[in-house]
Amino acid sequence: MVRNPWFETVAEAQRRAKKRLPYAVYGALLAGSERGRTVGDNVGAFGELGFAPRVVGHHAVRDLTTTVLGMPTSMPVLISPTGVQAVHPDGEVAVARAAANRGVIMGLSSFASKPVEEVVAANPSTAFQIYWSGDRDTIVRRMERARAAGCKALIVTLDWSFSHGRDWGSPTIPERLDLRTMVKMAPDVLPHPGWLWRFARTGRLPDLTTPNMGTPAPTFFGAYGEWMRTVPPTWEDVAWLAKEWNGPFLLKGVGRVDDARRAVDAGVSALSVSNHGGNNLDTTPATIRLLPSIAAAVGDQIEVLLDGGIRRGGDVAKALALGARAVLIGRAYLWGLAANGQAGVENVVDIMRGGLDSAVLGLGHASVGELGPDDIVIPDGFTRALGA
């Protein structure tokens, strides 16, 4: 019997990804710093929030569309930029095609395994993400390449620190995949023939280089090493970046009210309340707990997005009700990519859309723009206002 490739929940996509992927690859998707308490809180906090549905006056048609970073999108869910995607041979190109087919915005990491030109060709609504890595001239070259490729916005990620230890142990990620490495990893890889077969059909091994970081493309650890050697940026550097890009500009990683205000002063057009999916300092509060205070402080001046813990469309609705213009998803679509390639990513986006539409319907609204705090049951002590 052939199993239905379609799945009903993100949890099922995760289960299939775990079954299909070698431990080292699946473990990298679960990555969280130290004990992973922030990873858990990112997800668990959404379960502490409730809905306040209406019983009469529902709308037969709901509008889920909006604009983010100057780009129209069929719903307020963006593809968050994630690094080298060894879960599938087509990697970021498959994700970009899926996003384009569903009318949503693609975020492309500078640590991606596919060139920015190929990704933009698959989805013209692409935002390019960079780290503060290398000198200013190097950073400008990367930005200009993204601009020339047709990227519509820039995402600067600052919510990634040197806190990379994990109490449960980190999966082994090789510098490069050569014959010697493949032999060493065989006990982990061979029990997962489906993953191996996908790459075998392409005639190439998983690519662990980062073509958007330079020519020739450095390995992931080569790019990571450059970032580690770079002096961290100042607010003056952020202002310089925003001016240099001179277009829609999202600062990813804000968790404090005072930092949100500084971001506005620096000239950014959007920010993402994010803790890098729990890969920054562990025990940082869940992003949904931090969102209301930041949205109240700067939401009337710039676009406020949320990243972290989104697993269903109802989570999206809760974030919008608490002040987000849109959310970014990461692990969810990577599990979909691992489970069923491009179709699996489309499947995850459809799950998000269905859950969001159900929430908008049940709450008695005609569009996502009508969602607000009155739609949510917020427990006492739920929110955190850092740096207020």
Side-chain angles (χ1 to χ4, degrees), residues 37-365:
R37 296 196 181 278
T38 295
V39 176
D41 197 30
N42 273 352
V43 177
F46 280 99
E48 298 178 28
L49 296 170
F51 283 124
R54 291 171 172 82
V55 71
V56 175
H58 296 150
H59 296 268
V61 178
R62 280 80 56 197
D63 182 7
L64 305 185
T65 64
T66 187
T67 59
V68 183
L69 296 170
M71 291 178 276
T73 176
S74 66
M75 64 173 175
V77 176
L78 284 69
I79 297 297
S80 188
T82 60
V84 177
Q85 294 180 3
V87 301
H88 191 278
D90 293 335
E92 296 84 1
V93 173
V95 176
R97 289 174 181 149
N101 286 348
R102 294 302 185 262
V104 298
I105 297 166
M106 173 72 183
L108 176 68
S109 173
S110 56
F111 277 26
S113 61
K114 301 296 183 184
V116 60
E117 293 81 6
E118 291 183 18
V119 173
V120 174
N123 188 341
S125 295
T126 293
F128 185 69
Q129 175 271 341
I130 65 170
Y131 294 99
W132 183 260
S133 180
D135 58 27
R136 286 193 173 191
D137 288 342
T138 300
I139 292 170
V140 167
R141 283 196 296 272
R142 290 173 186 147
M143 287 195 294
E144 289 306 316
R145 178 179 173 183
R147 194 194 310 275
C151 290
K152 302 291 197 304
L154 189 72
I155 301 172
V156 176
T157 298
L158 299 183
D159 58 340
W160 192 23
S161 74
F162 296 94
S163 179
H164 48 69
R166 297 177 197 148
D167 288 12
W168 60 84
S170 299
T172 300
I173 302 175
E175 176 77 11
R176 57 178 54 84
L177 284 178
D178 51 23
L179 181 60
R180 182 178 179 182
T181 303
M182 291 295 289
V183 170
K184 184 178 180 181
M185 296 182 67
D188 182 28
V189 173
L190 292 178
H192 304 275
W195 178 81
L196 191 61
W197 174 241
R198 281 179 174 176
F199 283 94
R201 287 190 303 174
T202 69
R204 63 183 187 274
L205 296 173
D207 191 354
L208 300 182
T209 62
T210 56
N212 298 310
M213 289 293 285
T215 303
T219 65
F220 174 85
F221 285 107
Y224 182 81
E226 180 192 80
W227 169 77
M228 289 188 70
R229 293 189 298 270
T230 304
V231 176
T234 65
W235 282 110
E236 288 73 22
D237 291 323
V238 174
W240 171 80
L241 275 170
K243 184 177 180 180
E244 193 71 31
W245 177 254
N246 192 30
F249 181 104
L250 185 149
L251 181 65
K252 183 174 179 291
V254 176
R256 296 171 56 102
V257 172
D258 50 2
D259 278 350
R261 291 184 173 127
R262 290 189 181 105
V264 172
D265 292 340
V268 310
S269 49
L271 64 81
S272 177
V273 181
S274 173
N275 50 41
H276 211 83
N279 274 286
N280 206 330
L281 295 175
D282 198 23
T283 69
T284 299
T287 52
I288 191 65
R289 301 187 193 279
L290 305 174
L291 172 65
S293 61
I294 293 173
V298 301
D300 60 343
Q301 302 171 73
I302 61 173
E303 295 178 355
V304 175
L305 283 71
L306 178 130
D307 188 334
I310 301 291
R311 297 292 184 270
R312 50 189 56 85
D315 298 340
V316 180
K318 291 172 181 177
L320 300 182
L322 294 184
R325 185 176 186 87
V327 305
L328 299 104
I329 59 172
R331 289 180 178 90
Y333 79 78
L334 288 173
W335 289 327
L337 181 65
N340 195 26
Q342 176 182 330
V345 179
E346 293 171 357
N347 194 158
V348 167
V349 175
D350 289 344
I351 289 169
M352 295 292 172
R353 184 187 308 277
L356 175 59
D357 185 59
S358 294
V360 174
L361 170 64
L363 293 167
H365 296 309

